[in-house]
Amino acid sequence: SRSGGGFGFRDPMSGPVLVPTIDFGGFEGPDSVAHARVVSQLATACQDVGFFLVVNHGIDETVLSDALSVSRCFFHLPLRQKMRVANTKKGYIPVGGCENAVRPSSLHEKFSCGPVDFDKTDEYYAGTDGDPRAELFFGEPNLWPSEPTTFERKYAKYYRECTEFTARLHRGFAEALGVPTDYFESKSTKHVSNLVALRYPPVADAERTQKEKTRTSPEDTQTRLLVKPHTDPTDLTVLLFEHGPCGLQVLPDGAGETWVDVPAVKNSLLVNLGDATQFWTNDVWRSTRHRVAVDEETHKNTDRMSLVFFHAPNYDTVVDARELSDLQTEHGCDEGKKSHQRHTWTTTEIRAVSIREPNPLRAAWTERPRVAGPAGVGKRQRTRVVGKGKTVV
């Protein structure tokens, strides 16, 4: 079974791994068969590849086009105007403005914001109880450019819509895993998500500023890596492209060294699972490595822009695989009572470590002993704490 909590690993002989498209329209409608089909498709996609495209996602097309339009207008402003909201946490970072383990600094510029609706007097946000994580995530306000004049309204609107879309996905995830439908939502009531607008200049422009060219391999002289192979330190990520995925590739388990292109699907959003979700499900659902590799000649004089919603739960959420498994048993899923080894990581450690290659987290999991799961499936048990301890960004 692919839904209702039935865990099973993909048969590597079942054919090539593709990034599927899921029509989400039936999830909240009156048709129970359509609803169940969406839940099953979510479970399959999350287990097989950790990436899927969503159509009929519930976000109005005007909201999407408005967010892309104001982002494009902002990036077209003179640098001196953009630098008025320069900030490495929340605000603008110019080309070459900040070292990045995933994206070469000479190959992109970006604007980012954090949560847009919260009560600053709440001790969770204000840090009045002495929790340093409040300062990390909420110590600095969002910086909004004065031009275009509608930027804050339209960008923040898309942030809110992504939050609502994520809540719908969370309900689907919970149902697919056989736990209460509010399980993941309850962990994100005060989430610490970022919405990032990314613009990659034309390759010809980047060559003038880039000190060292980044390619897919030393032998490949035609393909440029705009984004290095990595996984996301989130529970899920939502991507909106201005002109399609344009070179986004994934490397699913079982694909060997063959990178799989993400297809262009009109009016879709791309969703990928992050490391937190893989932790929660004991590696049954996948946080898959991905990259952006473009043909230099094709993109020599064209740029690329996308909006990326990095969703992360509350900073004090405990990512606990044992809790999830116990809930599955409680609600009738054939998981069984198992002995669990416990190990904790902070959200800061996840953020700092998970984007490195080779990934130290994954190496640590590989070395941990397995315990028996249903039908002899081995699963590593672990706990991750989101947000405790020393914070370094």
Side-chain angles (χ1 to χ4, degrees), residues 123-196:
E123 68 176 25
Y124 174 89
Y125 301 111
T128 51
D129 62 351
D131 194 321
R133 294 168 294 185
E135 174 66 23
L136 169 67
F137 293 107
F138 301 101
E140 298 182 28
N142 290 320
L143 299 177
W144 300 108
S146 57
E147 294 182 44
T149 56
T150 58
F151 185 95
E152 178 180 356
R153 176 171 61 83
K154 293 179 176 179
Y155 200 84
K157 173 67 172 175
Y158 180 60
Y159 185 105
R160 296 183 185 99
E161 290 291 332
C162 282
T163 301
E164 291 300 315
F165 175 54
T166 298
R168 294 193 291 275
L169 287 173
H170 277 162
R171 292 194 289 275
F173 289 175
E175 190 168 344
L177 291 165
V179 297
T181 54
D182 67 345
Y183 179 77
F184 293 108
E185 276 190 282
S186 69
K187 311 291 186 182
S188 298
T189 54
K190 297 177 179 179
H191 61 91
V192 292
S193 308
N194 293 328
L195 176 59
V196 180

Side-chain angles (χ1 to χ4, degrees), residues 71-83 91-98 100 103-112 155 196-202 205-206 226 303-308:
S71 298
R72 169 63 69 181
C73 289
F74 172 75
F75 285 131
H76 277 177
L77 292 173
L79 180 60
R80 67 178 183 279
Q81 286 183 256
K82 292 184 285 189
M83 291 300 291
Y92 174 68
I93 299 179
V95 173
C98 182
N100 190 301
R103 299 174 186 86
S105 63
S106 60
L107 294 181
H108 76 283
E109 60 179 331
K110 70 178 183 179
F111 176 88
S112 63
Y155 200 84
V196 180
L198 285 161
R199 175 182 172 267
Y200 301 90
D205 292 352
L226 298 185
D303 65 356
R304 181 183 189 278
M305 193 182 76
S306 59
L307 299 183
V308 189

Side-chain angles (χ1 to χ4, degrees), residues 202-204 207 210 213-216 220-226 293-302:
V203 170
E207 285 179 341
Q210 191 178 13
K213 292 186 177 182
T214 306
R215 305 194 185 279
T216 54
D220 188 347
T221 59
Q222 299 299 318
T223 305
R224 178 71 63 88
L225 275 181
L226 298 185
V294 298
D295 180 80
E296 288 196 355
E297 194 59 38
T298 302
H299 292 268
K300 192 172 187 65
N301 297 303
T302 59

Side-chain angles (χ1 to χ4, degrees), residues 236-262:
L236 65 85
T237 304
V238 180
L239 298 96
L240 170 64
F241 303 102
E242 186 179 41
H243 299 301
C246 297
L248 180 60
Q249 300 176 319
V250 302
L251 188 65
D253 290 349
E257 294 301 315
T258 303
W259 288 87
V260 178
D261 292 320
V262 175

Side-chain angles (χ1 to χ4, degrees), residues 40-68:
S40 178
Q41 290 172 341
L42 284 174
T44 300
C46 292
Q47 180 176 301
D48 285 357
V49 65
F51 271 77
F52 53 93
L53 291 147
V54 181
V55 295
N56 292 321
H57 40 67
I59 303 180
D60 191 276
E61 191 62 33
T62 302
V63 175
L64 305 181
S65 59
D66 282 352
L68 287 169

